[in-house]
Structure formats: C-alpha cells, structure tokens
Amino acid sequence: DHRDLHSFPTRRSSDLDNTPSDLTRLNKRRINIMSNIHFKTGHRPVYQELSGEVNRHFKRTGALKTGNSTLYNKALVIGLIYVGSYLAIYMLPGSLHYLAWAIHGIATAMVGYNIMHDGAHESFSTSRPINRLMALTFNLVGSNRYYWAQKHNRNHHVFTNVDGADEDIDALGLFRMSPHQQHRWFHRYQHFYVWFLYLITSLFWFFALDFKAYHSQKIAHRDYSHRMKLADHIEFWASKVVYVTLYLLIPSAVLGGEATIAGFLLMHAFLGFLFALVFQLAHVVDKADFPRPGENGTMSDEWAVHQMRTTVDFATDNRFLTWALGGLNFQAEHHLFPRISHVHYPELHPLVEAKAAELGYEIRSYPTALAAIQGHYRHMKAMANPHNVVSDETDSDELENDAGYTRS
C-alpha cells in the first residue's frame, strides 16, 4: 500500500451509484466549494524562506531574473526551425513533405515550451510588450493567449492538481488522473489506451477546450477572473482564422486536401504527444499528490508547500532535455518561481532543494525521463483501479487528516 499525508478514504465504485438528486446535490456542493477555493491568508513562512534564498542568489550574481542572451539565441534557433519546417512543407518533393509536417509539430512544441511559456509568465524579457508578443505565439500555434492565462497562470499554477480547479487534470472523463474523479468501467484499461489519446491532445485542446472555455467563461468550475473585452473576442476569432488559413487552407491549395489533412494530423500527433507527456511527467505521476480543499474551500497547506507536493522534477542533469523543454523538467522551481526565466532553473535547483530540505520539505524528482514515464504509468494504472475512489461525502476533518488510497 502507498499512503501519504493527504490521501483520502477509499470507496467502491458501486458506492458512487447515487440517485440523480444525490448526484445533483453533490455536484452543487462541489461547485460551491471550488468557486470559493483559496489558500489561507497571512504569513507564508516557507515561501518567504525559499524566495529569500533565490533573491540572495540573484543579488550575488547581479543577473536579471528574466531571460538573457542564452534564451534569446535559443529562441532565434527555434524560431528558424519553426519557420523553416513550415516552408519545407511546400518545398520538399513528393511524400517528403510529411517529414516537414512532423518536424514542424516538434518545432511548435518547442516554441510553446521555450518562447510562449516564458512570455506568458512575463519572464522572457524585462519589456512587457515583448513578453506579450512572445505570449501571442500561442495564438499562432492554434490556441489563445487569454485562455492560457486563465487556464494556466490563474488556475493550474495556483491550485495545481486540485480536481475541479485545475483543468489540466480534467480529461472530460476519457481517463482518470485524480483519485477524486469518478471511476468509469473503461478506466480499467486507461494505462494502455491513454498513450494513443495523447496523440490528439493538441487537436482536442485547440478545437474543443478553447471553445468550451470561450462560451462558458470558466476554467473547470471557476469563473474567469474577468470578462473578455471586445479586443479579446476579436483576438480569439482572428487567431482561429489565421491558424485555419495557415495550416489548412493554404496547404490544401498547394498540396491538395487529402495530403493536407494527413500532414495536419501527423503534425498534431507529434505536438499533442509532446505537450501531454511533458505535463504528465511533472504532475500526474506516483510521486505527486492530489489535495483538495475543506468544506469552506480552504486548502490545508501553504501555497509553496502545495506546489512542492504536487509538482515533480525529472532528468535535471540532462542538459539536452533542459534546453529542448524550456526547463520544464525543473517543474518545482518553475511552479515556485514562475516569473523567473527557465534559463536560471539549473542553477537555482540545488539552492531550492537544499533550503526545502532545511525546512523539512522535499523537492520531488525522478533521475531520468524514463523513470518519470514509469512513474506516470504506475499512477495511471493505480487510477485504473475502481477501488481507488474518494467519496464526495468525506467531511472536512477527513479531508485534512485521513489517509488511504492504494496504488497497485
């Protein structure tokens, strides 16, 4: 049995076969809790200690917390690969254009990891307009900057791995990532089929979740922080039109419809799999926790402690992965200090790790990417077990103190 401090009582899947009125009542209760979810206000001693250590490092070195020439040179290389692979789709003879589609999918993922991500967190540059421009590259690759800010910055980075608040662990029931999610019969096989669903992650994201959030103005059960302005609406629709034009209409006119659809799906297979896998290795693994709030919506841990419980580093000694993934293998450092550019994470890692240990906490980590993939497989297999289900009737004392779901 695997037991951790904030796991919860198990429940048979049959226990969840409530009447419609019971399910409606439980759902309303859950939505009410999630709409009021928050961390305790006041003193944050763990974060202050960690941030103090990081601030002393930058004071000693005199470096800026934002990007530097290393990042800008890398962004240039990735940008050239992105543009070059797109042009190669039209220039390569015969079926070789499919190779260009595949490379472009990988390049698009790298734009997201290295350029868009830092820009969205305002850590690419000291210039706000430049950060905004870098964040807008997400519109170019199919999604929307405004949606990303709500989904990623406001929800995922604050309430990481909290079911009902963090949409990144919500697959609309296709597979189960949290012990707090209802188990369905087909989840028994999810550790086998999930790898194939990852291939359509970006398609699902750009052509389903974007529009779902746009029309509901919600991320999971939480309302947007503010309503979209007219300029945001125009940007949303203009971005979709540009994307469809660049990746479907123009290629169809040059290559033909069938070749374009095949290439487009191939590109998204590479892009979707890479996007999904990198996220999953950082959060949906057997070393990460999945906390939830008490009855009044209060999270039991300080925010920094919550981040250390729900994020996991991997392959931190692998310089190539660090370069290609935009430092997302240093996930704990990123979640604790999202406004620091990823180029600084390797030097911050030992400092943060040592300070966390001094305070009695751990920066959780896998030594290699393969070990992280195995950790993800073990977690998905555990969530395939119908006995690993948490009751929505659990009271607030149980939420904070009980333990017990099994990983098998």
Side-chain angles (χ1 to χ4, degrees):
D1 288 356
H2 171 91
R3 300 173 68 87
D4 60 63
L5 182 62
H6 291 271
S7 297
F8 306 101
T10 60
R11 223 180 164 206
R12 297 188 308 274
S13 57
S14 59
D15 293 335
L16 293 178
D17 295 331
N18 299 294
T19 64
S21 61
D22 286 340
L23 291 174
T24 299
R25 176 177 58 82
L26 291 172
N27 192 45
K28 287 182 177 178
R29 174 170 167 257
R30 183 168 177 254
I31 291 174
N32 182 61
I33 291 173
M34 289 303 161
S35 64
N36 294 297
I37 188 172
H38 60 278
F39 287 91
K40 296 175 183 177
T41 58
H43 192 48
R44 298 188 295 171
V46 176
Y47 178 73
Q48 289 177 347
E49 288 285 343
L50 293 173
S51 61
E53 185 72 15
V54 168
N55 288 335
R56 285 190 288 274
H57 166 77
F58 282 104
K59 187 174 182 179
R60 284 195 304 270
T61 62
L64 295 174
K65 294 181 179 180
T66 51
N68 52 27
S69 59
T70 299
L71 175 58
Y72 305 146
N73 290 335
K74 178 166 67 165
L76 178 61
V77 170
I78 292 172
L80 290 173
I81 297 172
Y82 175 80
V83 173
S85 58
Y86 178 79
L87 294 177
I89 290 172
Y90 306 104
M91 297 170 64
L92 291 179
S95 59
L96 282 177
H97 74 90
Y98 290 119
L99 176 62
W101 281 104
I103 294 174
H104 192 67
I106 297 171
T108 301
M110 292 178 66
V111 168
Y113 299 149
N114 293 274
I115 301 174
M116 179 280 295
H117 194 225
D118 270 28
H121 283 295
E122 299 186 348
S123 63
F124 187 91
S125 168
T126 55
S127 168
R128 188 169 185 179
I130 291 177
N131 283 327
R132 180 182 173 86
L133 182 63
M134 297 302 104
L136 278 170
T137 59
F138 203 43
N139 296 47
L140 187 63
V141 303
S143 192
N144 179 258
R145 175 189 57 84
Y146 185 93
Y147 165 66
W148 177 263
Q150 296 292 327
K151 169 189 170 72
H152 186 76
N153 295 19
R154 181 173 179 261
N155 285 273
H156 169 67
H157 261 270
V158 180
F159 301 109
T160 313
N161 278 9
V162 178
D163 183 41
D166 184 359
E167 194 180 63
D168 285 355
I169 59 168
D170 179 8
L172 300 183
L174 293 175
F175 48 92
R176 181 171 177 254
M177 290 179 267
S178 167
H180 310 297
Q181 294 167 347
Q182 182 179 354
H183 186 279
R184 295 180 169 87
W185 67 267
F186 50 85
H187 291 155
R188 290 176 179 269
Y189 313 102
Q190 68 173 17
H191 48 302
F192 299 119
Y193 69 72
V194 71
W195 309 97
F196 299 99
L197 289 181
Y198 290 163
L199 296 171
I200 62 171
T201 295
S202 54
L203 282 172
F204 184 64
W205 188 349
F206 300 161
F207 296 106
L209 293 181
D210 269 11
F211 288 97
K212 175 177 175 286
Y214 178 79
H215 289 293
S216 69
Q217 297 285 288
K218 289 178 179 287
I219 298 296
H221 294 303
R222 301 188 73 220
D223 290 331
Y224 275 5
S225 59
H226 55 278
R227 307 300 290 181
M228 295 178 72
K229 299 175 182 177
L230 177 60
D232 297 318
H233 288 284
I234 293 173
E235 180 183 309
F236 178 89
W237 289 107
S239 298
K240 296 299 181 186
V241 169
V242 169
Y243 188 74
V244 169
T245 300
L246 286 175
Y247 289 99
L248 291 175
L249 298 183
I250 296 177
S252 292
V254 177
L255 305 172
E258 291 185 5
T260 295
I261 294 300
F264 183 75
L265 292 177
L266 179 64
M267 177 190 74
H268 271 284
F270 278 87
L271 172 60
F273 191 85
L274 290 172
F275 266 4
L277 189 62
V278 170
F279 167 79
Q280 302 292 58
L281 299 189
H283 301 289
V284 188
V285 288
D286 60 358
K287 286 190 176 185
D289 292 343
F290 294 80
R292 66 176 181 181
E295 284 296 308
N296 64 351
T298 305
M299 300 300 299
S300 59
D301 285 319
E302 178 189 332
W303 175 80
V305 176
H306 177 92
Q307 298 307 318
M308 288 188 283
R309 288 180 53 206
T310 57
T311 59
V312 182
D313 289 352
F314 64 92
T316 55
D317 292 329
N318 190 316
R319 296 180 65 182
F320 171 75
L321 281 182
T322 299
W323 186 89
L325 301 183
L328 291 179
N329 50 328
F330 291 89
Q331 194 68 202
E333 290 76 12
H334 171 60
H335 267 252
L336 288 167
F337 308 104
R339 292 206 171 193
I340 295 179
S341 174
H342 72 265
V343 295
H344 302 294
Y345 294 159
E347 60 196 40
L348 293 182
H349 174 69
L351 302 177
V352 174
E353 190 174 47
K355 178 57 70 172
E358 180 184 317
L359 297 171
Y361 298 99
E362 176 189 12
I363 298 298
R364 304 177 186 188
S365 181
Y366 293 101
T368 65
L370 178 59
I373 291 171
Q374 292 169 336
H376 175 55
Y377 175 82
R378 287 192 298 269
H379 177 76
M380 295 305 288
K381 185 178 180 181
M383 293 299 96
N385 185 342
H387 297 290
N388 285 339
V389 178
V390 177
S391 168
D392 279 323
E393 294 290 349
T394 308
D395 63 31
S396 57
D397 289 334
E398 290 177 311
L399 289 176
E400 296 191 5
N401 300 315
D402 284 346
Y405 80 84
T406 61
R407 299 181 186 268
S408 58

